[in-house]
Amino acid sequence: MTEPRRRPGPKRALTEEAVLDAALTLLDTDGPGAASIRRIAAALGVSPNSVYTYLPDKSAIEQALVERLLGDLNRAAPGGDDWRADLEALALDLRRRLTAHPGAVPLLLGGAMNGPEALLLGERLLDLLDRAGLAATEAARGAYLIMSYVLGAIALEVADVPRAGALAPERDRIAARRAAMSQVPAAMFPRTAAAVDVTATWIGTEQYLWGLRRVLDGLSTHA
Amino acid sequence: MTEPRRRPGPKRALTEEAVLDAALTLLDTDGPGAASIRRIAAALGVSPNSVYTYLPDKSAIEQALVERLLGDLNRAAPGGDDWRADLEALALDLRRRLTAHPGAVPLLLGGAMNGPEALLLGERLLDLLDRAGLAATEAARGAYLIMSYVLGAIALEVADVPRAGALAPERDRIAARRAAMSQVPAAMFPRTAAAVDVTATWIGTEQYLWGLRRVLDGLSTHA
DNA sequence: CTTATCTCCGCACACCGTACAGCATTCGCT
DNA sequence: AGCGAATGCTGTACGGTGTGCGGAGATAAG
């Protein structure tokens, strides 16, 4: 069984790394949908088909991009001694990284979380909930619950601003949302109109953390 | 100020209603992304540009589709005397309707929930939480929490099967997921491997309801 | 009837993912 | 050193997408 002739590699002007870099930059610059193969190749000064040398197709690019983001998250493990603080830090970190690249959020939401980094994130969640004293079954269901909440909250936040690539500062986004929500007719949606000051902050960090804590409360009281 | 000449309307082979019907059928048949303007027009036996007579662009179609689904949900109001039962019924109904049209889920997740039906759904949520005895601020934050959880859970569920248009029965999907998750290397992800029996059911109705109840628990204990 | 208005159509443009075939480069082996 | 094979990249091409523009025909108001 001889070796399959090894690879003679001629030039290698690209890398999978470089492709993903270019894709993420495009997403950040021009919003979701800007990470087309042709535009990535153009940004790299290369023919569109060259990209296919490193990644089999577009969905592989998207998946690898998500994996990279989750990998960065996993690599930045805090690891204190308070499980609740660690969990909150993890959730905040995930949100921070995703809102930093809002164009990549649809990729995370659209694909199944099958990759190694996604699994590792799940593993970390299970470990945190184990440290919280939850039984195995409770921990597994709790991980699902936390994941659902976090993803849903981020989806809601990012969907609110579908336009450009980068997100405005949180203060400005909340102000814009408050202005928009003030337009709803109070006659038709009285409670919504009355609660504008709160619902305007739905997309804020504080509300995100508040919801996470309610989730953890619900988990704790059940255990 | 004379009338603007009224409309003489020639044929009118289409309706906005018919366009949305065709779009939803395509989504159900051929999965997300199948609701292209050209395919909708073809299904209606009409030129692609005729669609633009009724809807200004593709995003309007998607938005109207989401509004229709939410409208159906809002029209089917249960309205018992137990707020918790009503809330669970509403959440289950939303999930049922979305998993019945998995191709439409990305549309809901991708767009801001600005339309009248989306606002009405929020209003109903606020009303339910008011009946639960929550203060106005708590109710508004609680509505956000519930919405985040529900959307995230549905996103997780649908993302798990990105292939065809229709979803297989829940039993089969869970079995397939269990088979897939059994492949994860226990050496690398010990907790995940040990919890496969639970994580396989993440996409099931029971788990969805369990999570919702934990969310409501967290809301109640906080109030 | 004339004329304004509306619906629908054909064409065209720019962009997308990607299959196919070719070409130059570079390595492993003799 | 020379040769053959494998590799990275390219150009071309096909079918698909959203949609802007101009025109054709039908209809109702005057």
Side-chain angles (χ1 to χ4, degrees), chain A residues 86-165:
Chain A
D86 286 356
L87 189 41
E88 289 182 3
L90 178 62
L92 283 174
D93 198 13
L94 175 57
R95 174 171 176 272
R96 194 178 311 119
R97 290 173 189 277
L98 285 179
T99 50
H101 305 289
V105 170
L107 308 185
L108 176 62
L109 261 51
M113 301 192 49
N114 291 331
E117 299 293 352
L119 289 175
L120 181 54
L121 179 58
E123 186 80 8
R124 290 181 65 195
L125 270 174
L126 290 176
D127 183 60
L128 281 168
L129 293 180
D130 178 70
R131 281 168 52 198
L134 266 61
T137 299
E138 298 294 306
R141 307 185 95 151
Y144 157 86
L145 170 56
I146 294 169
M147 211 60 207
S148 294
Y149 167 70
V150 166
L151 287 185
I154 293 173
L156 275 178
E157 177 171 356
V158 172
D160 202 56
V161 186
R163 30 175 170 270

Side-chain angles (χ1 to χ4, degrees), chain B residues 60-127:
Chain B
I61 298 180
E62 299 174 349
Q63 195 170 330
L65 216 41
V66 170
E67 278 290 297
R68 160 191 278 207
L69 288 176
L70 294 181
D72 292 345
L73 176 74
N74 285 329
R75 225 75 68 225
D81 51 352
D82 180 1
W83 71 269
R84 214 169 154 122
D86 286 357
L87 189 42
E88 290 182 3
L90 178 62
L92 282 174
D93 198 14
L94 175 56
R95 175 172 175 270
R96 195 178 311 119
R97 290 172 189 277
L98 285 180
T99 50
H101 305 288
V105 170
L107 308 185
L108 176 62
L109 260 52
M113 301 192 49
N114 291 332
E117 299 294 351
L119 288 176
L120 182 53
L121 178 59
E123 186 80 8
R124 290 181 64 195
L125 234 52
L126 290 177
D127 184 61

Side-chain angles (χ1 to χ4, degrees), chain B:
Chain B
M1 199 185 200
T2 65
E3 296 200 359
R5 195 65 162 97
R6 294 299 290 263
R7 61 208 57 188
K11 290 193 209 170
R12 227 163 230 285
L14 265 56
T15 331
E16 175 174 329
E17 185 90 0
V19 171
L20 297 184
D21 281 340
L24 192 55
T25 301
L26 281 170
L27 284 181
D28 293 344
T29 307
D30 299 346
S36 74
I37 293 205
R38 299 177 113 101
R39 293 184 67 170
I40 292 172
L44 293 168
V46 152
S47 168
N49 277 352
S50 299
V51 175
Y52 286 89
T53 302
Y54 300 88
L55 285 316
D57 56 16
K58 184 180 167 79
S59 77
I61 298 180
E62 299 174 349
Q63 195 170 330
L65 216 41
V66 170
E67 278 290 297
R68 160 191 278 207
L69 288 176
L70 294 181
D72 292 345
L73 176 74
N74 285 329
R75 225 75 68 225
D81 51 352
D82 180 1
W83 71 269
R84 214 169 154 122
D86 286 357
L87 189 42
E88 290 182 3
L90 178 62
L92 282 174
D93 198 14
L94 175 56
R95 175 172 175 270
R96 195 178 311 119
R97 290 172 189 277
L98 285 180
T99 50
H101 305 288
V105 170
L107 308 185
L108 176 62
L109 260 52
M113 301 192 49
N114 291 332
E117 299 294 351
L119 288 176
L120 182 53
L121 178 59
E123 186 80 8
R124 290 181 64 195
L125 234 52
L126 290 177
D127 184 61
L128 281 168
L129 293 179
D130 178 69
R131 281 167 52 197
L134 265 61
T137 299
E138 298 293 307
R141 306 186 98 152
Y144 157 86
L145 171 55
I146 293 170
M147 211 60 208
S148 295
Y149 167 70
V150 166
L151 286 185
I154 293 173
L156 276 178
E157 176 170 356
V158 172
D160 201 58
V161 185
R163 30 174 170 269
L167 252 53
E170 186 168 306
R171 208 174 300 111
D172 301 348
R173 297 204 328 269
I174 291 180
R177 185 175 161 85
R178 173 175 288 114
M181 304 257 334
S182 299
Q183 308 289 353
V184 313
M188 238 180 288
F189 310 104
R191 295 182 193 282
T192 306
V196 163
D197 278 338
V198 180
T199 53
T201 67
W202 273 11
I203 56 176
T205 307
E206 196 226 346
Q207 172 69 57
Y208 175 75
L209 197 51
W210 183 91
L212 179 64
R213 285 180 173 148
R214 295 296 77 70
V215 166
L216 297 183
D217 287 351
L219 266 179
S220 303
T221 58
H222 184 70

